[in-house]
Amino acid sequence: MKPNGFFDYDVIVVGGGHAGCEAAWAASRAGCRVALFAINLDQLAFMACNPSLGGPGKGHLIREIDALGGIMARVADESILQMRLLNTSKGPAVRALRAQIDKALYQRQMKQILEKEENIDLKESTIVEILVKNDRVTGVKSITGTVYSSRAVVLATGVFLRSMIFVGQTAYPGAPAGQRPSEALGDNLASLGFCLKRLKTGTPPRVHRDSIDFSVMGPVTGDEHTGGFSFLNSDRSFEDQVCCWLTRTVPETHQIIRDNLHKAALYAGLIKGAGPRYCPSIEDKIVKFAGRDSHPVFIEPEGATTREMYVQGVSTSLPEDIQYKVLRSIPGLEKVRILRPAYAIEYDFAPPSQLNYNLETKNIKGLFFAGQINGTTGYEEAAAQGLIAGVNAAHSSMGKEPFILSRSEAYIGVLIDDLITKDIKEPYRMFTSRSENRLLLRHDNADLRLTEKAYQLGLANEERLAMMEKRKKMIAAEIAKLESIRITPGEENQKKLAALNTAPIKQPLTAAELLKRPELSYYDVRAFLPQEQPVLPRHAAAEVENQIKYAGYIEKQKTSIQKIARMEKRRIPKNFDYSKCTNLSTEARQKLEKIRPYNLAQASRIDGVTAADLSLLLFYLEDDERKKSMEKKR
């Protein structure tokens, strides 16, 4: 049943950042009428910090978003300034795309896509209250007092909840791009019983291109034949890419910072929230890595039509005059002009232990959290959560079962499991090292893993499904062919092997067995195949090579996943009384009571729960089941 009237919706999304845009898109594609609220519609999908997307872990998330029918990858591919494939000298599990993005173009492209979606109403307004009745969300109220009803609401508030800007020892309520913070909504969430804590992040200065001396810097160029983030653009080449530049801090830079640490908001004690460990401020770097006399600084363009440049690596909360001194001590920036000073921002987040796996809050049905409100950092992490929250908000509105990805299926599953299982004490960032199954969850096979699920959800159309199935068949057929073709140790083949700088063969072997050699690529092995064999596209050839070379490791990971699956089948009742588990350690009992894991597998990943605790927990679960069974028999 569809809602009627101007102010009635199936799903309402609050926040127009990367999480909110993906949530609105996913909910609309799932068949719901959606309202997307943003404080400023001209700032949809705004890149408040670095003008880039991707990298190990983050690039994997973008590929998975695309495979699930999301829009980040497609918009990114139309906004590329520079594209690089990282970690090419390492294994396929950690390779990933990273791109410099034209920020303004990215925003325009995203807004156009959302404007054209007939199931989405874009609305510029500030939401001040979540409306709840009998522990179920009923809608939202705007700053003008207008009430919008809905059966599901996604909160994707970014860093706006009761946010404060810090420059030196000056602090004031503020949000990115000069926007207003969301004070009333933060107060409302606290009144609804949500635990809110503080986190901190920051940005570096933006400077004028014409004030930079690039002659003393090293160029950082892109790769032309990488393919795009989206599987729709797998064979795309990116020509006419822009250049980024590398310089470094010097001892004078570090001394200026040390002399002025007391003026930085972070070290003056003004900021209470924890900042991101893996993207620290320049002050943090100087203090925590005191033995280093130099740190890299990347100069990156913000867009194709602006002279504004981003100074990657110099995030700071120092006063403006000290920012000038710091920058002008760095080679190439001696005459730099600052367009936008750096700042730190502190904001509320809701520890995600308050969420279920579908990102619905445990206390209020139909209310979902996505993005930085859950303690994450990064556009990609936010967008991934937004897509999952949007799908599940639509399912909640329509009475369907939740959509949940496991750790073994996707980095998105790792992300969400980590968030709701572990204590979030600092902004969470995705890395490939966070996945124990990273060889299975490669960035280049996300479509093979997830597109069929997207089709079943209504997020991917038949054309997209057919494209994936064609690629899967192409890869399987090529692997079968390589396993069937035998290469003999004849004179001609030995000459070919010598030309490839690989050892001769002493007995016949298949082309697939030859490809297992680390020094040989798929295209090297093609020299031993009949000449009429068609050449695979680059993306398919890479997947064939990965599946053959790493077949043994992949099978080991699949075996490990099967063991975890058995633990996942061992469910823990929602109302299980942990207080009766007297032999559990106090820490384990407290953590289990707080998080209330769904099964033994999730319980095993909780910090502070040991193997001994798990054995005892299993004993208590079985004892509880025996007692209940006996009661039923009486």
Side-chain angles (χ1 to χ4, degrees):
M1 179 179 175
K2 293 289 183 184
N4 297 309
F6 296 113
F7 307 120
D8 303 317
Y9 293 90
D10 294 310
V11 175
I12 287 173
V13 179
V14 180
H18 301 274
C21 290
E22 292 290 348
W25 175 259
S28 70
R29 302 299 289 178
C32 288
R33 185 165 174 248
V34 181
L36 172 59
F37 286 88
I39 294 174
N40 183 347
L41 286 178
D42 292 327
Q43 299 294 335
L44 285 179
F46 176 63
M47 293 183 168
C49 197
N50 53 314
S52 65
L53 289 172
K58 290 173 174 285
H60 291 69
L61 288 175
I62 297 176
R63 278 287 177 88
E64 291 181 353
I65 291 166
D66 181 68
L68 286 169
I71 46 179
M72 172 175 268
R74 282 179 284 156
V75 176
D77 286 348
E78 298 306 314
S79 313
I80 297 294
L81 294 174
Q82 183 192 97
M83 180 70 93
R84 297 169 64 202
L85 180 60
L86 305 184
N87 294 331
T88 54
S89 62
K90 299 181 181 179
V94 296
R95 292 173 197 157
L97 294 171
R98 185 179 188 272
Q100 295 300 130
I101 300 294
D102 187 319
K103 292 170 65 169
L105 179 57
Y106 185 93
Q107 287 176 247
R108 291 199 301 273
Q109 296 273 356
M110 183 68 76
K111 187 167 184 279
Q112 288 172 9
I113 287 175
L114 296 177
E115 284 175 334
K116 291 177 181 177
E117 174 55 44
E118 62 179 1
N119 279 341
I120 298 177
D121 283 352
L122 299 180
K123 294 185 176 293
E124 185 170 288
S125 186
T126 299
I127 298 303
V128 297
E129 185 178 352
I130 306 299
L131 303 176
V132 178
K133 184 177 181 180
N134 297 327
D135 296 325
R136 176 156 194 109
V137 75
T138 61
V140 299
K141 182 188 289 186
S142 75
I143 196 169
T144 63
T146 305
V147 170
Y148 297 85
S149 65
S150 176
R151 290 189 287 274
V153 172
V154 178
L155 278 192
T157 51
V159 299
F160 282 69
L161 284 181
R162 299 192 289 203
S163 53
M164 294 286 294
I165 298 286
F166 296 86
V167 180
Q169 297 188 30
T170 300
Y172 57 91
Q179 297 185 78
R180 302 185 305 275
S182 185
E183 299 284 350
L185 187 55
D187 294 341
N188 173 236
L189 288 175
S191 73
L192 289 172
F194 288 102
C195 171
L196 298 177
K197 296 183 178 180
R198 302 288 278 178
L199 287 176
K200 164 257 177 187
T201 189
T203 68
R206 272 69 156 187
V207 301
H208 201 296
R209 182 186 182 91
D210 296 346
S211 67
I212 301 172
D213 180 7
F214 294 107
S215 67
V216 298
M217 299 182 181
V220 180
T221 57
D223 304 319
E224 186 174 334
H225 303 295
T226 60
F229 280 118
S230 175
F231 287 96
L232 295 170
N233 300 318
S234 293
D235 288 317
R236 181 170 173 179
S237 295
F238 295 95
E239 301 174 355
D240 302 321
Q241 297 186 45
V242 302
C243 189
C244 297
W245 303 88
L246 173 64
T247 182
R248 302 187 71 89
T249 62
V250 296
E252 181 189 352
T253 313
H254 298 199
Q255 191 58 52
I256 293 170
I257 293 169
R258 281 192 289 267
D259 291 343
N260 292 278
L261 272 178
H262 62 286
K263 298 179 182 178
L266 180 63
Y267 285 88
L270 300 178
I271 297 175
K272 305 301 181 185
R277 176 183 307 197
Y278 303 102
C279 187
S281 67
I282 190 67
E283 303 97 278
D284 258 355
K285 290 179 185 177
I286 302 309
V287 171
K288 294 178 179 177
F289 305 102
R292 296 188 185 179
D293 58 7
S294 180
H295 292 281
V297 176
F298 292 91
I299 310 299
E300 302 171 342
E302 296 252 312
T305 58
T306 178
R307 309 299 285 174
E308 198 166 346
M309 305 291 283
Y310 182 87
V311 187
Q312 177 78 270
V314 192
S315 174
T316 182
S317 62
L318 285 163
E320 288 185 60
D321 61 328
I322 307 303
Q323 291 184 34
Y324 261 106
K325 291 180 180 179
V326 169
L327 289 181
R328 290 191 170 188
S329 71
I330 298 172
L333 301 179
E334 293 87 352
K335 297 181 180 180
V336 76
R337 302 198 307 273
I338 295 177
L339 294 174
R340 304 176 201 248
Y343 64 86
I345 183 169
E346 189 180 56
Y347 55 94
D348 281 351
F349 84 105
S353 57
Q354 301 170 97
L355 302 178
N356 295 313
Y357 267 110
N358 62 348
L359 297 183
E360 184 179 34
T361 63
K362 292 178 178 177
N363 295 336
I364 299 177
K365 296 290 292 181
L367 179 61
F368 297 78
F369 289 175
Q372 286 179 281
I373 190 174
N374 290 336
T376 59
T377 180
Y379 313 134
E380 303 88 346
E381 291 88 345
Q385 293 171 73
L387 186 147
I388 297 301
V391 169
N392 281 308
H395 283 199
S396 175
S397 176
M398 296 185 287
K400 292 184 177 182
E401 288 295 310
F403 172 64
I404 295 170
L405 288 169
S406 71
R407 295 181 70 90
S408 62
E409 292 178 299
Y411 272 93
I412 296 175
V414 174
L415 167 67
I416 294 173
D417 183 66
D418 280 353
L419 289 178
I420 69 173
T421 302
K422 301 182 182 300
D423 288 332
I424 302 300
K425 297 179 179 178
E426 61 190 32
Y428 178 100
R429 180 179 180 179
M430 179 52 69
F431 296 101
T432 52
S433 59
R434 295 195 188 273
S435 172
E436 60 274 30
N437 304 306
R438 53 187 171 272
L439 192 53
L440 289 173
L441 307 183
R442 302 184 303 278
H443 85 122
D444 53 14
N445 70 357
D447 63 329
L448 305 180
R449 292 184 277 118
L450 300 173
T451 296
E452 188 171 352
K453 293 179 184 292
Y455 178 73
Q456 292 168 353
L457 292 167
L459 304 183
N461 57 26
E462 290 185 1
E463 180 182 358
R464 189 68 184 266
L465 179 66
M467 179 187 298
M468 182 277 294
E469 289 179 337
K470 179 182 178 181
R471 192 167 101 94
K472 181 183 286 187
K473 290 177 182 177
M474 185 189 305
I475 291 164
E478 190 69 12
I479 291 173
K481 184 192 303 177
L482 293 176
E483 289 175 340
S484 67
I485 293 177
R486 297 185 65 78
I487 300 170
T488 60
E491 182 179 352
E492 184 179 350
N493 284 337
Q494 301 292 25
K495 286 180 180 179
K496 290 180 181 179
L497 292 167
L500 293 169
N501 294 316
T502 190
I505 58 176
K506 297 179 180 179
Q507 56 189 19
L509 76 173
T510 67
E513 289 171 328
L514 186 63
L515 183 53
K516 287 180 180 290
R517 294 186 176 187
E519 67 273 17
L520 297 183
S521 71
Y522 166 80
Y523 293 106
D524 290 332
V525 173
R526 278 192 57 82
F528 299 89
L529 306 186
Q531 293 301 309
E532 66 273 11
Q533 296 291 325
V535 179
L536 288 184
R538 287 194 306 271
H539 61 84
E543 183 62 21
V544 167
E545 186 173 318
N546 289 335
Q547 288 193 26
I548 289 177
K549 281 186 180 294
Y550 300 97
Y553 297 101
I554 289 171
E555 284 305 311
K556 286 182 180 179
Q557 288 199 352
K558 287 181 177 178
T559 300
S560 177
I561 288 170
Q562 289 172 357
K563 292 179 181 178
I564 296 295
R566 289 195 288 271
M567 293 181 70
E568 287 176 342
K569 290 179 180 178
R570 197 65 177 79
R571 298 282 181 170
I572 301 175
K574 286 185 178 180
N575 59 350
F576 185 73
D577 187 359
Y578 291 100
S579 67
K580 294 180 180 179
C581 305
T582 53
N583 289 327
L584 285 176
S585 69
T586 302
E587 180 184 7
R589 194 162 55 248
Q590 289 174 346
K591 293 283 183 68
L592 290 165
E593 181 66 40
K594 176 184 176 182
I595 295 170
R596 304 204 71 82
Y598 295 92
N599 51 47
L600 279 184
Q602 187 189 1
S604 71
R605 295 189 290 269
I606 297 174
D607 294 331
V609 176
T610 66
D613 291 322
L614 283 176
S615 296
L616 286 168
L617 178 57
L618 179 58
F619 168 79
Y620 284 117
L621 287 170
E622 291 175 344
D623 186 55
D624 189 56
E625 288 176 356
R626 281 194 298 269
K627 290 177 180 178
K628 289 180 179 178
S629 177
M630 290 175 64
E631 288 176 2
K632 287 182 179 179
K633 291 178 180 179
R634 290 175 183 172

